[in-house]
Amino acid sequence: VTRARAGSASRFGGPSQLCGVSVDLDELPHYFELHGLVAPPPGAAARTLVYDVALGRIDAFARALDLPLTLFAVGEDLRRTESAARLRVLAECGHAIENHSLEHRYDLTRLGRAEITRQIAGGAQAIEQAMGRRPTGFRAPGYTITDEVFDVLGELEVRFDSSVFPCPAYYGAKAAVLAAQRLLGRRSAAILDTPRVLGAPTRPYRPGRPYHRPGARGLVELPIQVTPGWRLPFIGTSLALAGPVLARSLARQCSKERFVNLELHGLDFIDLRDAPDLRALAKHQPELRRPVEERLLAIEEAVRLLRAEGFGFVRLVEAAARVS
Ligand SMILES: [Zn+2]
């Protein structure tokens, strides 16, 4: 029995609890790079699965659940005209296209001011060129962000950022994987953020300096969702691995929040059957071995539970406007 939700309408008339579902469209070579693997050669189907295969499934997923999405695109991925054309189809359906940087450099924060600016402004420009509309939000590659990156976002008048991931479980797992890779002599492109990010607010806030404390910067931060209390990751990959029953339970834990920021990846819509070249990658991204239908079922369960609890679904730019 669904609880009565006497307080669910806000003074704006809409639902008082909002959920934003976003999808990071990192194309496959970025994942090979992340794990220190050699990417399939130019022209191989496995290089463009996110735009060629996942986008169609993302479209179907959004239609089935009646979701407005926020899609974070990597500027250089849009140089391929077929990829840009496929993304325009989703933009025309009302989904927002936001900036996931120009080249998805995992070491963005270490590149120096001029190059950080080029990566962020260049990503926005590539998206504007391909889509005819300038993005208003940003998500950093690999959830790694610094005050310097926030300074650049401020200069470029970006309205919201969604990169802070105050999740001890994720941070610990990433640290362990990077240490193991160093032991094996394999170089990952990933870098570890300051552990201070774990002290950042778990709810939308206006960042200050340091960025992991609230303050007076001109933009809004929408942290990647963690569950209240244990701060478990509430993202597509973890929901897919948890399965439908646990996914519902994680969603229920988040259902008292005023805003839930559910982050998915293009890779959540791909599995090993889509290309045999993914076998090496599946060693590091074990979810690829599970059929995509099964994984999406778990994510759908989480979305359906939030909807039944009274959540309204919005694009991140609307959620950020509500916060400010
Ligand atoms: Zn990414």
Side-chain angles (χ1 to χ4, degrees):
V1 178
T2 309
R3 267 184 300 124
R5 301 197 58 85
S8 76
S10 75
R11 62 199 167 92
F12 304 104
S16 66
Q17 287 176 293
L18 298 179
C19 176
V21 181
S22 60
V23 190
D24 297 355
L25 297 176
D26 318 10
E27 196 47 282
L28 265 297
H30 303 299
Y31 288 96
F32 283 89
E33 186 197 356
L34 173 65
H35 298 292
L37 301 170
V38 178
R47 285 183 73 92
T48 49
L49 285 174
V50 166
Y51 280 86
D52 292 349
V53 177
L55 266 191
R57 293 176 187 162
I58 290 167
D59 186 29
F61 174 84
R63 281 171 200 279
L65 294 169
D66 193 20
L67 293 179
L69 298 175
T70 301
L71 304 168
F72 284 94
V74 176
E76 70 167 6
D77 292 341
L78 300 178
R79 285 195 193 122
R80 182 171 173 263
T81 51
E82 300 94 308
S83 297
R86 288 187 207 278
L87 190 57
R88 270 196 300 275
V89 173
L90 273 91
E92 279 156 17
C93 294
H95 304 300
I97 315 300
E98 302 291 3
N99 184 7
H100 198 27
S101 83
L102 180 60
E103 294 169 322
H104 205 272
R105 291 283 303 260
Y106 287 99
D107 58 354
L108 175 74
T109 56
R110 297 183 183 172
L111 296 178
R113 182 75 166 231
E115 184 58 20
I116 291 173
T117 304
R118 193 183 80 88
Q119 288 291 329
I120 298 172
Q125 202 172 14
I127 290 166
E128 186 174 11
Q129 257 168 29
M131 298 294 129
R133 194 197 136 263
R134 197 164 178 77
T136 56
F138 179 73
R139 176 167 287 152
Y143 312 111
T144 307
I145 196 152
T146 54
D147 277 300
E148 193 174 31
V149 175
F150 270 112
D151 292 344
V152 172
L153 294 176
E155 271 170 19
L156 296 172
E157 296 178 354
V158 171
R159 278 200 263 161
F160 73 91
D161 174 76
S162 181
S163 310
V164 168
F165 193 19
C167 180
Y170 172 81
Y171 191 87
K174 187 174 177 182
V177 166
L178 290 179
Q181 284 185 337
R182 266 195 300 276
L183 276 175
L184 294 168
R186 253 204 337 265
R187 270 182 61 85
S188 166
I191 59 168
L192 206 56
D193 202 356
T194 168
R196 296 214 182 94
V197 71
L198 299 178
T202 59
R203 295 175 178 144
Y205 68 105
R206 202 173 275 282
R209 181 185 301 274
Y211 70 88
H212 40 82
R213 299 225 186 92
R217 287 185 188 267
L219 79 176
V220 169
E221 172 63 30
L222 303 170
I224 307 290
Q225 193 65 45
V226 293
T227 61
W230 284 98
R231 286 199 272 148
L232 298 172
F234 188 72
I235 63 173
T237 326
S238 50
L239 295 177
L241 287 171
V245 175
L246 260 176
R248 275 183 73 84
S249 143
L250 291 168
R252 194 175 298 285
Q253 288 177 45
C254 293
S255 68
K256 301 286 185 296
E257 298 293 301
R258 290 196 61 195
F259 174 64
V260 170
N261 187 12
L262 174 56
E263 184 219 22
L264 314 178
H265 286 91
L267 205 66
D268 293 329
F269 296 81
I270 297 287
D271 69 28
L272 259 182
R273 295 168 300 177
D274 292 313
D277 303 26
L278 295 180
R279 212 161 293 278
L281 189 62
K283 285 191 186 126
H284 306 277
Q285 305 272 164
E287 72 273 21
L288 287 172
R289 290 172 213 275
R290 294 205 191 175
V292 70
E293 304 82 5
E294 209 178 278
R295 285 148 60 205
L296 289 183
L297 201 66
I299 297 171
E300 281 174 32
E301 279 295 306
V303 168
R304 287 189 203 282
L305 183 132
L306 292 175
R307 176 157 282 148
E309 291 286 319
F311 277 77
F313 288 82
V314 293
R315 306 180 304 174
L316 294 190
V317 61
E318 279 109 32
R322 180 76 77 94
V323 173
S324 48

